[in-house]
């Protein structure tokens, strides 16, 4: 559903306009209700339509709470999960704690990832993208399944 890369700006209050093509899909899919949380592997945010997030949260909640690794994931993902809603102008307000985690300032990148969007600081995304491109040129860095794809 979500694909493509969009360079966007955050205003002084931490609001960003969702691109029109995604806005329409979000309105139809979830009434503009979203959930944002941190990515535990990268300093970016994961933004899900609420209907996509709820089954993920249920799976995370079902993890054994006495397992320290599972408990860490529960605390990080569910603890940072924040409900967002598209306003009448198609914007969302990203809370200060999430903006701080992702290093978001004025320039940002919204990256489509199928059922979710990723929100990156533009400078962090540019650095990560360049590192990923360096890895792609090394076949031993690719999952075996990728080697059989024909593009």
């Amino acid at each position: 559903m979500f694909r493509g890369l969009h360079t966007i700006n955050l205003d002084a209050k931490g609001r960003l306009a969702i691109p029109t093509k995604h806005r329409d899909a979000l309105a139809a899919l979830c009434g503009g209700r979203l959930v944002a949380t941190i990515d535990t592997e990268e300093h970016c945010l994961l933004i899900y339509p609420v209907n996509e997030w709820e089954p993920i949260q249920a799976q995370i909640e079902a993890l054994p709470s006495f397992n320290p690794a599972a408990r860490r994931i529960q605390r990080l993902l569910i603890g940072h999960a924040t409900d967002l809603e598209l306003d009448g102008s198609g914007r969302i307000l990203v809370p200060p704690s999430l903006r701080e985690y992702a290093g978001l300032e004025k320039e940002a990148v919204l990256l489509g990832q199928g059922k979710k969007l990723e929100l990156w600081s533009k400078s962090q995304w540019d650095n990560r993208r360049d590192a990923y491109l360096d890895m792609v040129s090394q076949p031993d860095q690719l999952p075996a399944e990728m080697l059989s794809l024909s593009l």
Side-chain angles (χ1 to χ4, degrees), residues 60-75:
I60 296 167
E61 288 172 350
L63 295 172
S65 61
F66 289 111
N67 178 309
R71 193 72 187 125
R72 279 192 299 273
I73 293 297
Q74 290 168 331
R75 287 181 175 137

Side-chain angles (χ1 to χ4, degrees), residues 30-52:
C30 61
R33 295 175 45 234
L34 307 165
V35 175
T37 192
I38 65 171
D39 184 322
T40 59
E41 301 294 319
E42 300 281 357
H43 281 271
C44 70
L45 302 180
L46 307 175
I47 302 175
Y48 292 88
V50 71
N51 58 308
E52 293 289 346

Side-chain angles (χ1 to χ4, degrees), residues 7-139:
T7 302
I8 54 177
N9 291 315
L10 277 79
D11 69 13
K13 295 180 182 179
R15 294 177 300 197
L16 63 96
I18 298 292
T20 305
K21 76 177 196 174
H22 295 320
R23 233 183 269 173
D24 297 340
L26 289 168
L29 183 65
C30 61
R33 295 175 45 234
L34 307 165
V35 175
T37 192
I38 65 171
D39 184 322
T40 59
E41 301 294 319
E42 300 281 357
H43 281 271
C44 70
L45 302 180
L46 307 175
I47 302 175
Y48 292 88
V50 71
N51 58 308
E52 293 289 346
W53 170 254
E54 287 172 345
I56 294 168
Q57 181 170 328
Q59 291 175 35
I60 296 167
E61 288 172 350
L63 295 172
S65 61
F66 289 111
N67 178 309
R71 193 72 187 125
R72 279 192 299 273
I73 293 297
Q74 290 168 331
R75 287 181 175 137
L76 290 170
L77 294 178
I78 297 172
H80 285 92
T82 304
D83 292 305
L84 307 175
E85 193 160 345
L86 284 174
D87 69 12
S89 300
R91 299 173 302 187
I92 57 172
L93 174 63
V94 181
S97 60
L98 294 180
R99 289 195 314 262
E100 180 185 336
Y101 176 82
L104 295 170
E105 293 179 4
K106 178 128 178 96
E107 283 190 304
V109 169
L110 197 61
L111 189 66
Q113 292 294 290
K115 294 182 180 184
K116 68 180 179 285
L117 294 159
E118 291 182 352
L119 182 61
W120 290 76
S121 139
K122 182 168 183 333
S123 62
Q124 286 185 24
W125 169 250
D126 289 345
N127 291 336
R128 177 52 68 201
R129 179 204 56 215
D130 292 345
Y132 287 154
L133 288 171
D134 288 342
M135 287 181 210
V136 168
S137 65
Q138 303 169 18

